[in-house]
Amino acid sequence: MDEITWEEPFCGEGASCFRLGTDPAGNAYIAIAGAEDAYLTDTREALRSLILEIKAGKADHLL
């Protein structure tokens, strides 16, 4: 497997911190900070779509 380059954690108030990562093969990763070995993976395009949908408010009902 290619090496994952993790971004700095995204943390909410009193919540778990999430990390996003990518690898040179075009894969994207999401994990809880400190548990990067148990990640969810898909393509960078899928991660891009997820982020855009969240920014558009389509996950607001989860807040």
Side-chain angles (χ1 to χ4, degrees):
M1 174 183 12
D2 290 316
E3 186 170 328
I4 301 169
T5 301
W6 292 102
E7 299 291 325
E8 290 297 315
F10 294 93
C11 301
E13 292 181 31
S16 296
C17 297
F18 293 93
R19 295 190 78 183
L20 301 176
T22 56
D23 70 19
N27 300 305
Y29 302 83
I30 301 173
I32 295 174
E36 288 83 356
D37 58 333
Y39 52 77
L40 171 70
T41 185
D42 207 324
T43 64
R44 287 184 185 186
E45 183 56 35
L47 178 61
R48 180 182 179 280
S49 294
L50 173 66
I51 291 169
L52 290 174
E53 295 292 319
I54 290 170
K55 287 178 71 175
K58 294 189 178 179
D60 287 356
H61 64 284
L62 300 172
L63 301 176

